Amino acid sequence: MINELKMIEAIAPDVMDVLQERFQILRNIYWMQPIGRRSLAESMGMTERVLRTETDMLKNLQLIGTSKSGMTLTNKGESIYQDLEKIMNQLLGVNQIEKQLAEYFGIKRCVVVAGNSDEQVKVVDEFGEALNEALMLLLPETQNTIAVMGGTTMATVAEHLTNLETEKRHNLFVPARGGIGEAVTVQANSISAMMATKAKGSYRTLYVPEQLSLATYNSLMQEPSIHEVLDLISQANCVIHSIGRALHMAARRKMAEEELLMLKQKNAVAESFGYFFDEMGKVVYKVPRIGLELKDIQDIPVVIAIAGGHSKAKAINAYMKNAPEQTWLITDEAAAKVILKGVTL
């Protein structure tokens, strides 16, 4: 299909221009619906007059509907958009960006979702759909133990998993770490339970704080129920995690002022697995923790990192210098383009 479209583009480039413009309009409405014409025009950098002509045409084709709240895709419009998306992503060069990013990081694969998750909430939903497809492909037909990290991105993507069970494949979801004293819905326990529910698997919980004194840690390690879950975590053959901005994560962890100052002085830009990294990917600080550590994931067969948005580009670039080569990165176009500019980060 891509070759056929490129032949059409060669002989009638104006047709492809119209197709791309209308597809971008459908995409932006899908991301931000319901949305008014003025807001959509500003978002796309178009004049309202030009946009009105195109949206009137799309309305006549019964692809969009309008109401007092704004424009939305009709059922027909959403179906057309979903069918066009993969073709247009290839045509618009997303596949090339994916290959460049994977080569740049030296990892197995990158999946790049169009858009900017900082601004378009639907992009994070598409992270979830991409994760579901990756797990369908990567999880072996056996008993799998899937270790899951927490975070707001992870909480959203968890909602988009579907049944991953087969006759031979059974999946146990476990939290990759203890809680971090924040909203229950974004803790690893809650997210692993949600993923298990959506994927028709099972789950175990780890009821311990993430950060502990050495004495408390040693005491808890004697508890049989905790020891059992930690053993399961250590046997994980898949880990799903996010990548955070250093100072944002430090604030979420309610770290002390002197620790925040130290992270600023050491130019920390990224956090994952309780490790803080500077722009060169060097570990500048490590939070004492219960659960998976960076060294543990090196030999885990399936590693999936999920993070996107222009604001996280530096964090992704820094962490990925430490990612094992079997990693799949699910990100968005906004982050990918900033990263691929290299020295301009």
Side-chain angles (χ1 to χ4, degrees), residues 277-312:
F277 309 88
D278 66 15
E279 286 192 43
M280 301 306 294
K282 178 185 175 184
V283 175
V284 296
Y285 187 66
K286 176 181 178 296
V287 177
R289 58 179 295 121
I290 280 185
L292 279 183
E293 298 192 6
L294 190 60
K295 61 181 175 60
D296 299 325
I297 70 168
Q298 302 303 314
D299 298 320
I300 293 178
V302 178
V303 180
I304 302 176
I306 307 172
H310 187 280
S311 66
K312 277 194 178 179

Side-chain angles (χ1 to χ4, degrees), residues 149 177 241-244 249 253 270-277 289 292-294 297 305 319:
M149 300 288 272
R177 66 186 189 194
H241 71 94
S242 56
I243 302 163
M249 293 303 298
R253 292 175 187 275
E271 186 277 340
S272 197
F273 296 97
Y275 292 78
F276 289 82
F277 309 88
R289 58 179 295 121
L292 279 183
E293 298 192 6
L294 190 60
I297 70 168
Y319 165 77

Side-chain angles (χ1 to χ4, degrees), residues 11 19 24 34 74 93 128 138 142 160 187 209 234 251 268-269 305 318 325 327 335:
I11 196 169
L19 175 61
Q24 297 285 9
T74 62
L138 296 173
T142 185
H160 294 275
Q187 289 183 14
S234 70
V269 297
E325 62 181 14
T327 298

Side-chain angles (χ1 to χ4, degrees), residues 255-265 285:
M255 292 171 67
E257 282 297 322
E258 56 267 28
E259 290 176 303
L260 287 170
L261 180 59
M262 176 271 297
L263 291 174
K264 289 177 183 178
Q265 290 173 338
Y285 187 66

Side-chain angles (χ1 to χ4, degrees), residues 39-278:
S39 297
L40 183 60
E42 290 174 358
S43 173
M44 297 188 65
M46 298 173 67
T47 66
E48 280 192 69
R49 183 181 62 80
V50 171
L51 182 64
R52 183 183 298 110
T53 301
E54 294 300 328
T55 53
D56 285 348
M57 175 63 71
L58 293 171
K59 186 177 180 182
N60 290 337
L61 293 170
Q62 300 180 326
L63 300 181
I64 65 173
T66 57
S67 68
K68 289 182 179 179
S69 301
M71 296 178 287
T72 58
L73 297 190
T74 62
N75 290 338
K76 178 183 177 182
E78 188 155 330
S79 177
I80 292 290
Y81 165 72
Q82 299 286 2
D83 289 342
L84 271 175
E85 186 176 31
K86 289 185 179 179
I87 296 171
M88 295 304 292
N89 279 348
Q90 292 178 56
L91 190 67
L92 298 174
V94 171
N95 280 12
Q96 186 60 33
I97 292 174
E98 290 177 340
K99 289 177 183 177
Q100 289 175 344
L101 207 56
E103 289 175 4
Y104 175 71
F105 289 137
I107 59 174
K108 189 170 183 180
R109 185 170 174 188
C110 286
V111 177
V112 176
V113 172
N116 180 0
S117 55
D118 285 340
E119 300 173 358
Q120 296 138 344
V121 177
K122 286 280 188 182
V123 176
V124 185
D125 294 336
E126 293 188 33
F127 287 168
E129 293 168 12
L131 172 64
N132 194 64
E133 290 181 12
L135 291 174
M136 286 279 196
L137 178 67
L138 296 173
L139 290 177
E141 295 287 305
T142 185
Q143 176 67 52
N144 299 298
T145 300
I146 303 165
V148 178
M149 300 288 272
T152 52
T153 298
M154 294 290 288
T156 301
V157 302
E159 296 279 353
H160 294 275
L161 293 194
T162 59
N163 187 1
L164 296 171
E165 298 287 300
T166 68
E167 186 176 332
K168 294 181 179 179
R169 182 170 66 197
H170 304 290
N171 306 304
L172 171 66
F173 291 80
V174 295
R177 66 186 189 194
I180 61 174
E182 57 185 354
V184 172
T185 53
V186 298
Q187 289 183 14
N189 271 327
S190 300
I191 293 167
S192 62
M194 172 61 73
M195 285 189 174
T197 301
K198 293 288 186 178
K200 310 299 182 187
S202 55
Y203 67 92
R204 295 291 302 275
T205 52
L206 180 65
Y207 290 117
V208 297
E210 183 185 47
Q211 295 166 240
L212 300 167
S213 68
L214 183 59
T216 305
Y217 173 85
N218 289 333
S219 175
L220 285 172
M221 288 298 287
Q222 304 307 311
E223 292 292 327
S225 60
I226 291 175
H227 202 277
E228 181 186 357
V229 177
L230 289 175
D231 280 346
L232 288 171
I233 294 171
S234 70
Q235 295 165 25
N237 65 327
C238 173
V239 61
I240 307 167
H241 71 94
S242 56
I243 302 163
R245 288 170 288 142
L247 298 181
H248 175 75
M249 293 303 298
R252 266 180 50 184
R253 292 175 187 275
K254 299 180 173 60
M255 292 171 67
E257 282 297 322
E258 56 267 28
E259 290 176 303
L260 287 170
L261 180 59
M262 176 271 297
L263 291 174
K264 289 177 183 178
Q265 290 173 338
K266 293 188 175 182
N267 298 314
V269 297
E271 186 277 340
S272 197
F273 296 97
Y275 292 78
F276 289 82
F277 309 88
D278 66 15

